[in-house]
Amino acid sequence: MSDCIFCRIVAGEIPSQRVLEGGDWIAIRDINPAAPTHVLVIPRRHVDSIAALEDGDGQLAGALLLAARDVARHEGVAESGYRTVINTGAHGGQTVAHLHVHVIGGRQLTGHGTA
Ligand code: 5GP
Ligand code: ZN
């Protein structure tokens, strides 16, 4: 998926601020942060969204949640709390069609989104 912006970030073709990485994922700072901590956990493998996950992808899906936990610890927001958001498709407000988990914290959040 050479036209996918997150695949290009995973490949290092587009620069990003990497926070952490694991075998199946990388975590980068969001280019337009909604809070003091706003990190995106991105699987190295291209998957469009949760909707495109297959039954055999449970290990990857779990790894992304554990990565979000590790990012929160790394960013020092594990105790104060944080929000994890996964937008899916048009009505979900997904703008980049490569699955990613937002990890947002460092201030009191309201509502349920990334705002
Ligand atoms: P979505 O709306 O799909 O849930 O979230 C996409 C997120 O990716 C947005 O928060 C947006 O700011 C972020 N984003 C889009 N393009 C780039 C980029 O090139 N680099 C980084 N670091 N973040 C990006
Ligand atoms: Zn991709």
Side-chain angles (χ1 to χ4, degrees):
M1 284 263 176
S2 57
D3 58 340
C4 169
I5 194 166
F6 285 177
C7 280
R8 296 189 67 193
I9 284 175
V10 167
E13 295 169 13
I14 294 175
S16 66
Q17 278 187 270
R18 289 202 188 196
V19 174
L20 282 178
E21 49 191 301
D24 294 332
W25 54 271
I26 65 169
I28 65 167
R29 296 206 185 281
D30 196 292
I31 204 168
N32 183 24
T37 288
H38 191 163
V39 174
L40 304 173
V41 177
I42 301 172
R44 293 182 188 274
R45 193 186 104 211
H46 182 93
V47 180
D48 276 359
S49 70
I50 280 187
L53 283 173
E54 298 180 0
D55 289 346
D57 288 331
Q59 191 167 348
L60 176 64
L64 297 178
L65 285 187
L66 292 173
R69 176 203 63 184
D70 290 347
V71 165
R73 287 178 180 162
H74 180 268
E75 293 290 298
V77 299
E79 299 298 326
S80 52
Y82 53 94
R83 180 169 296 166
T84 47
V85 174
I86 305 174
N87 295 321
T88 303
H91 281 190
Q94 185 177 7
T95 60
V96 177
H98 180 133
L99 176 61
H100 52 282
V101 182
H102 297 256
V103 180
I104 304 164
R107 68 168 171 86
Q108 180 64 56
L109 298 168
T110 58
H112 297 93
T114 52

